[in-house]
């Protein structure tokens, strides 16, 4: 009796295993569990799921950018209202004793400043949102982000060291806009340059001085700023009267100063009437009397010139100027004019 030949073992059909990317994805595994087809699960993962995820990332990025830009625009529009956020209030308005009247700050100036800040914030939001979206899309394509982030960090450090002055200028410009230290049309003193501000940027401020020279000043190099166009100004005039009677000179100057306040062209620019304070100092040439007047920021120059002219004319018409000249030529006779020799 011959033994039956052994039956060959049945050959199993090899099954394709899912890729690690598909195994790590819950949707891809669910498709595989429902269909039992490896190629269908893999195909739907790369043809359907991946593009849908990328589209969703882009849509979310666009939506987030739209909402953030809308919030920034609302913040900019609200600056013209009475209730302004503290962040956008000028530094002088945050101090209770710095402003005498809430309405003295021009809404148009505040609007321009807010629009500049809003433009910067919008650009930062766009770069931040789409930067994150780009990293998420690269991750969907199985890019290893660790070396990319490390390289970006090294490049950022190198750029920071190489562009310290640029970063300093940008940060100083941003805080200058936030605090409203000065604006276009203001007369400022920034050290070597004193004049009218013609343009304000995040990096450079341009100032044109009295001689017509246009100065380009980096914001990071501005250590202190004297703004002559905010709020009110105080015009101070010191006039020497020699050794004439201080009471007589004070009365003459007080009458001349009062006439400036009555001038219909200058009265709107005068905040408080002129005041003759009296003898400010005594020098070898005699006494010096100080006169002050509080004016608006825009009218300080016109009022100051007219006040000096009228005070000088008053001293000349009263004869005090002649006494000063006589005292200089004949020191022993300060109050009388010189007599002609016989």
């Amino acid at each position: 009796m011959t033994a039956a030949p052994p039956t060959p073992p049945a050959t199993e059909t090899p099954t394709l295993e899912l890729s690690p990317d598909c195994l790590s994805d819950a949707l891809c595994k669910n498709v595989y569990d429902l269909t039992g087809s490896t190629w269908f699960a893999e195909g739907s993962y790369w043809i359907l799921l991946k593009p849908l995820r990328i589209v969703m990332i882009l849509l979310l990025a666009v939506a987030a950018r739209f909402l953030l830009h809308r919030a920034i625009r609302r913040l900019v529009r609200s600056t013209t209202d009475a209730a302004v956020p503290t962040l956008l209030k000028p530094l002088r308005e945050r101090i209770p004793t710095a402003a005498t009247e809430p309405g003295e700050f021009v809404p148009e100036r505040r609007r321009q400043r807010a629009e500049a800040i809003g433009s910067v914030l919008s650009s930062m939001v766009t770069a931040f949102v789409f930067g994150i979206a780009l990293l998420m899309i690269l991750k969907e394509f199985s890019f290893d982000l660790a070396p990319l982030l490390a390289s970006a960090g090294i490049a950022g450090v190198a750029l920071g060291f190489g562009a310290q002055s640029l970063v300093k200028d940008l940060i100083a410009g941003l805080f200058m806009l936030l605090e409203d230290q000065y604006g276009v049309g203001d007369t400022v003193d920034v050290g070597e340059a004193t004049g009218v501000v013609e343009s304000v940027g995040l990096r450079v401020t341009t100032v044109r001085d009295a001689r017509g020279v246009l100065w380009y000043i980096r914001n990071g190099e501005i250590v202190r700023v004297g703004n002559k166009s905010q709020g009110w100004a105080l015009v101070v005039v010191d006039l020497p009267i020699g050794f004439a009677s201080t009471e007589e000179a004070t009365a003459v100057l007080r009458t001349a100063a009062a006439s400036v306040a009555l001038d219909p062209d200058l009265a709107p620019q005068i905040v408080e009437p002129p005041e003759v304070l009296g003898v400010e100092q005594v020098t070898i040439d005699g006494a010096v009397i100080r006169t002050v007047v509080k004016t608006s920021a825009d009218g300080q120059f016109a009022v100051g010139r007219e006040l000096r002219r009228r005070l000088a004319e008053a001293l000349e018409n009263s004869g005090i100027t002649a006494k000063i000249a006589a005292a200089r030529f004949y020191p022993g006779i300060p109050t009388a004019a010189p007599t002609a020799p016989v």
Side-chain angles (χ1 to χ4, degrees), residues 27-274:
L27 291 176
C28 184
K29 286 188 64 178
N30 291 335
V31 172
Y32 177 75
D33 294 338
L34 292 175
T35 61
S37 174
T38 304
W39 69 269
F40 186 79
E42 289 284 351
S44 63
Y45 178 71
W46 289 103
I47 298 175
L48 184 62
L49 297 180
K50 281 287 186 181
L52 283 178
R53 282 187 172 181
I54 295 174
V55 170
M56 286 298 298
I57 291 173
L58 293 176
L59 290 177
L60 289 175
V62 171
R65 177 181 175 275
F66 172 77
L67 293 176
L68 291 174
H69 279 205
R70 184 179 180 184
I72 293 173
R73 287 194 297 268
R74 283 189 175 183
L75 186 63
V76 170
R77 287 197 302 267
S78 66
T79 56
T80 56
D81 300 333
V84 180
T86 305
L87 179 64
L88 290 180
K89 284 185 178 180
L91 186 62
R92 62 186 182 278
E93 287 191 59
R94 304 179 199 174
I95 306 174
T97 59
T100 56
E101 295 181 5
E104 63 178 316
F105 305 105
V106 184
E108 179 66 18
R109 172 189 174 93
R110 181 184 293 163
R111 184 190 63 81
Q112 294 177 357
R113 182 174 58 93
E115 287 182 353
I117 298 174
S119 177
V120 174
L121 293 178
S122 298
S123 300
M124 293 175 60
V125 164
T126 300
F128 180 75
V129 170
F130 282 107
I132 294 179
L134 178 61
L135 293 178
M136 296 178 67
I137 290 174
L138 291 177
K139 186 178 179 181
E140 290 296 326
F141 285 106
S142 302
F143 278 91
D144 190 2
L145 298 180
L148 180 62
L149 294 177
S151 302
I154 296 174
V157 172
L159 182 63
F161 278 109
Q164 293 184 37
S165 60
L166 177 61
V167 175
K168 180 181 178 182
D169 295 339
L170 294 177
I171 294 177
L174 181 61
F175 276 99
M176 179 273 299
L177 287 173
L178 286 173
E179 297 174 356
D180 192 23
Q181 298 174 8
Y182 53 85
V184 176
D186 287 354
T187 301
V188 298
D189 180 0
V190 292
E192 294 185 3
T194 300
V196 179
V197 178
E198 290 200 350
S199 66
V200 177
L202 279 180
R203 195 182 70 86
V204 173
T205 297
T206 58
V207 177
R208 190 175 296 276
D209 64 12
R211 299 179 180 271
V213 180
L214 187 63
W215 295 78
Y216 293 85
I217 308 168
R218 287 166 41 199
N219 293 328
E221 298 298 323
I222 299 177
V223 180
R224 52 91 175 153
V225 180
N227 196 324
K228 301 178 182 180
S229 301
Q230 290 181 349
W232 51 270
L234 188 66
V235 177
V236 180
V237 180
D238 291 335
L239 285 178
I241 62 169
F243 292 95
S245 172
T246 56
E247 293 184 0
E248 178 186 359
T250 300
V252 170
L253 294 177
R254 186 175 288 115
T255 302
S259 67
V260 176
L262 298 177
D263 191 326
D265 296 332
L266 300 177
Q269 306 295 337
I270 298 177
V271 178
E272 294 181 1

